[in-house]
């Protein structure tokens, strides 16, 4: 059974909707995933509103959906101190198993770099206080992320998910020197373009007990659906998982079991119930 460790379900329905034809409901999305063996989903907030919605979904679908709450680096420029106070409160909900999505994004210029760093540090302090892992967004910011993680590592064990990993192996191998960091791969690892080759190389080398799989839905639609559907959904994690299994020379069943066990350990949730 697969665990989609990073999904923005709230972007599939409601005011944030990615256009679907036909429209879908959360129940339909989750049931379709379950039918394909994707039995667990982490719904990741990007601001206060979507963090609230992530918790609501986790409560609506217990033992299927869990929540992460935070302010995405591209949302930080419009966030207030009151927003942060609410994130701190939301983070204590029993359904919340991670803090984020946080991190650095040097690709887009929605938020000035010093502000991104400030918010990243806020999330780290909260995660450390609550004993929950960070969900880290890193886009064109590998050098700075590595320097920051190195500083934090002096304060104790780092617990973080490097989400939708796109970094070359020489960078990721450094991240893996720090106990508690795991590497998550999304649909981009399946892309045939030459520029995505470093992701595939990295995915071959990550130790089996440090790898996760995700969709980042509705983004990063995996092959063979890329260009054919408008949005990825949690059931697509199976396609990425099958690709990773072939790349790593293991069976899909083995990779599904390993990545699910890794997610359960990383997020500190209960093991699957019989029949899940």
């Amino acid at each position: 059974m697969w665990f989609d460790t990073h999904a923005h379900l709230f972007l599939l329905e409601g005011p944030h909707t990615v256009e679907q034809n036909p429209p879908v409901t959360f129940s339909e999305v989750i049931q379709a995933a379950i039918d394909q063996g994707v039995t667990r989903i982490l719904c990741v907030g990007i601001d206060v509103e979507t963090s609230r919605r992530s918790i609501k979904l986790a409560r609506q679908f217990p033992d299927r959906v869990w929540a992460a709450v935070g302010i995405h680096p591209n949302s930080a420029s419009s966030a207030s101190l009151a927003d942060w106070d609410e994130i701190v409160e939301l983070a204590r909900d029993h359904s919340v198993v991670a803090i984020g999505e946080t991190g650095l994004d040097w690709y887009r210029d929605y938020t000035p770099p010093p502000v991104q760093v400030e918010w990243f540090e806020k999330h780290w302090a909260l995660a450390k206080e609550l004993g929950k892992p960070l969900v880290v967004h890193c886009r064109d910011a590998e050098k700075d992320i590595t320097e920051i993680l190195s500083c934090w590592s002096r304060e104790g064990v780092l617990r973080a998910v490097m989400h939708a990993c796109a970094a070359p192996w020489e960078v990721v191998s450094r991240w893996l020197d720090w106990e508690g960091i795991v590497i998550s791969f999304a649909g981009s690892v399946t892309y045939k373009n030459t520029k995505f080759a470093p992701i595939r190389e990295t995915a071959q080398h990550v130790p089996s007990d440090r790898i996760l799989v995700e969709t980042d839905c509705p983004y990063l639609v995996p092959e063979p659906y890329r260009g054919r559907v408008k949005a990825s959904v949690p059931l697509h994690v199976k396609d990425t998982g099958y690709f990773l299994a072939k790349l790593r020379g293991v069976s899909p069943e083995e990779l599904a079991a390993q990545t699910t066990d890794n997610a359960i350990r990383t997020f500190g949730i209960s093991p699957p119930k019989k029949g899940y």
Side-chain angles (χ1 to χ4, degrees):
M1 298 299 180
W2 298 95
F3 194 139
D4 182 358
T5 60
H6 195 111
H8 302 297
L9 294 174
F10 42 78
L11 293 175
L12 298 174
E13 184 180 74
H16 293 272
T17 299
V18 171
E19 183 182 351
Q20 299 278 339
N21 186 21
V24 296
T25 66
F26 293 130
S27 293
E28 289 171 336
V29 168
I30 292 168
Q31 188 58 56
I34 293 169
D35 291 345
Q36 292 296 314
V38 183
T39 59
R40 281 164 176 72
I41 303 166
L42 180 65
C43 188
V44 181
I46 57 175
D47 54 25
V48 169
E49 179 192 346
T50 56
S51 293
R52 290 193 208 107
R53 295 180 74 188
S54 295
I55 290 174
K56 183 178 179 181
L57 280 165
R59 292 174 177 173
Q60 185 178 350
F61 301 99
D63 298 321
R64 297 296 191 188
V65 178
W66 288 263
V69 298
I71 308 289
H72 191 287
N74 292 330
S75 303
S77 60
S78 58
S80 66
L81 292 178
D83 290 334
W84 180 247
D85 288 343
E86 184 164 355
I87 292 294
V88 170
E89 181 179 349
L90 293 173
R92 290 172 167 79
D93 190 90
H94 69 88
S95 67
V96 174
V97 297
I99 306 301
E101 179 175 352
T102 183
L104 303 178
D105 190 323
W106 296 164
Y107 177 77
R108 302 194 186 280
D109 60 358
Y110 298 155
T111 303
V115 176
Q116 291 191 44
V117 171
E118 178 186 355
W119 281 86
F120 193 20
E121 290 174 343
K122 285 177 181 287
H123 286 77
W124 158 246
L126 179 60
K128 188 170 63 167
E129 176 189 346
L130 298 180
K132 297 179 180 182
L134 282 176
V135 176
V136 179
H137 172 104
C138 177
R139 189 164 189 188
D140 292 354
E142 286 83 0
K143 179 177 182 294
D144 295 293
I145 287 273
T146 303
E147 290 178 356
I148 290 171
L149 292 176
S150 180
C151 290
W152 290 347
S153 70
R154 298 167 197 156
E155 301 178 30
V157 174
L158 291 171
R159 294 185 62 200
V161 177
M162 310 307 290
H163 125 78
C165 180
W169 174 240
E170 58 265 28
V171 172
V172 174
S173 62
R174 175 74 189 282
W175 293 345
L176 290 169
D177 284 339
W178 296 309
E179 182 183 354
I181 287 186
V182 293
I183 311 299
S184 185
F185 294 95
S188 50
V189 74
T190 72
Y191 296 167
K192 299 174 182 178
N193 312 52
T194 302
K195 70 176 182 178
F196 295 101
I199 307 178
R200 293 189 288 279
E201 179 187 6
T202 296
Q204 288 178 298
H205 293 299
V206 173
S208 60
D209 62 343
R210 308 285 290 276
I211 188 171
L212 301 179
V213 63
E214 63 171 273
T215 57
D216 195 24
C217 92
Y219 310 111
L220 301 179
V221 177
E223 301 287 359
Y225 305 103
R226 190 182 184 199
R228 293 168 48 194
V229 301
K230 294 179 179 178
S232 65
V233 288
L235 67 85
H236 289 150
V237 82
K238 181 178 179 180
D239 298 280
T240 299
Y242 269 64
F243 180 92
L244 281 170
K246 184 176 182 180
L247 186 69
R248 292 168 64 86
V250 300
S251 70
E253 294 77 15
E254 181 181 345
L255 187 70
Q258 182 69 68
T259 53
T260 294
D261 286 347
N262 293 344
I264 286 169
R265 183 184 69 252
T266 297
F267 300 122
I269 66 177
S270 300
K273 296 177 181 177
K274 187 176 181 180
Y276 271 46

